[in-house]
Amino acid sequence: MKQSGQEMDEATLRLNLWLTQGLVLIVAAISSLWVNGIQATMEMFRFPEWSGLAWAGCVIAAIVILSIGMEKYLPERWQDDGSVNKKIFGSMSFATTLFVCMAVGLGEEWLFRGVIQSFAGNFWTSLLFTLVHVRYLTKPLMVLSVFGTSWLLGMLFIYSGSLWSSIVAHIGIDLLLAFYLQATMKKEKGEKK
C-alpha cells in the first residue's frame, strides 16, 4: 500500500471520503439546528414545487453536458485531479456509487446551502465551497467549474426555498458524472486488451 502525500490507494481514499462526509453531515445537522432552529430546518426540507425540481433537472443537464464537453475537448492537464475520482469511483458498484453520491449531496447541500448560505450569501458560500475542494485549486478551469456549479446550486435553493432542489441537483450531477467516468474507464480497459 503506497501512501505518500500524492498517492493513496482506493481503500484509503474511500475511507477518507466516508469520514469527511460523515463529519460534514454531523456538522450540518448540529449547526442547522443551532443557527436556524428546528422549525426553520424542517421548513428547508419541505418538498419543493415541481418547478424547483424542473430547474434542478436543467442544472443537472447543463453541468453534466458542460463537464463531459470539457473532458472531451479541453486539455487533460487543465482538469487532472491526480486521478482521485478514478480511484474513488472507478471500481465502485452501482449501489455504492449511488449511496456515496446521495451522502455527498445531502451533507454538502445541507451544510453549504442550508447553514452557511443563510448568513454568508450565495457568492461567499460558493467561494468557500470552491476552497474546500482543495485538490482543484491549482487548476483555474476546475476552480471556475466548481464555483459555477456551487453558485447554480445556491440559486436553486434561493429560487425554490427548499434544500431538495439543490440536493437533487448535486446528487444528479455527481451520479451521472461518476457513471460516465466508470463507463469511460471500462471502455479504455476494453480498448487496451
Side-chain angles (χ1 to χ4, degrees), residues 2 22 34 45 52 78 86 101 114 116 123 130 168 176 178 180 189 192:
K2 206 174 189 182
W34 183 52
F45 280 98
W78 290 6
K86 287 182 178 180
C101 291
I116 298 170
F123 175 83
T130 304
V168 165
L176 290 175
Y180 173 78
K189 281 183 184 177
K192 287 180 183 177

Side-chain angles (χ1 to χ4, degrees), residues 3-4 7-24 84 88:
Q3 291 183 330
S4 69
E7 289 191 41
M8 283 193 222
D9 65 14
E10 292 175 16
T12 304
L13 282 170
R14 288 180 183 167
L15 175 63
N16 284 323
L17 175 68
W18 285 116
L19 291 174
T20 56
Q21 291 309 313
L23 182 62
V24 165
V84 171
I88 291 173

Side-chain angles (χ1 to χ4, degrees), residues 8 10 13 76 79-90 135 181 185:
M8 283 193 222
E10 292 175 16
L13 282 170
E76 186 178 335
Q79 304 168 81
D80 181 31
D81 71 345
S83 299
V84 171
N85 286 334
K86 287 182 178 180
K87 289 177 186 174
I88 291 173
F89 292 106
R135 73 178 188 260
L181 176 67
M185 289 176 66

Side-chain angles (χ1 to χ4, degrees), residues 44-113:
M44 285 188 297
F45 280 98
R46 70 173 169 69
F47 192 79
E49 292 182 19
W50 289 107
S51 62
L53 293 178
W55 279 110
C58 292
V59 168
I60 292 168
I63 298 299
V64 168
I65 290 167
L66 186 61
S67 295
I68 291 172
M70 288 178 0
E71 190 261 332
K72 283 189 176 291
Y73 299 110
L74 295 177
E76 186 178 335
R77 70 180 185 281
W78 290 6
Q79 304 168 81
D80 181 31
D81 71 345
S83 299
V84 171
N85 286 334
K86 287 182 178 180
K87 289 177 186 174
I88 291 173
F89 292 106
S91 62
M92 197 177 275
S93 72
F94 174 86
T96 305
T97 302
L98 178 62
F99 191 64
V100 165
C101 291
M102 289 171 64
V104 170
L106 174 64
E108 289 185 1
E109 291 309 304
W110 192 0
L111 179 61
F112 285 93
R113 262 31 90 190

Side-chain angles (χ1 to χ4, degrees), residues 76 137 157 178:
E76 186 178 335
L137 294 180
F157 177 57

Side-chain angles (χ1 to χ4, degrees), residues 33-44:
L33 293 172
W34 183 52
V35 170
N36 301 315
I38 194 162
Q39 191 67 31
T41 296
M42 297 301 289
E43 180 64 22
M44 285 188 297

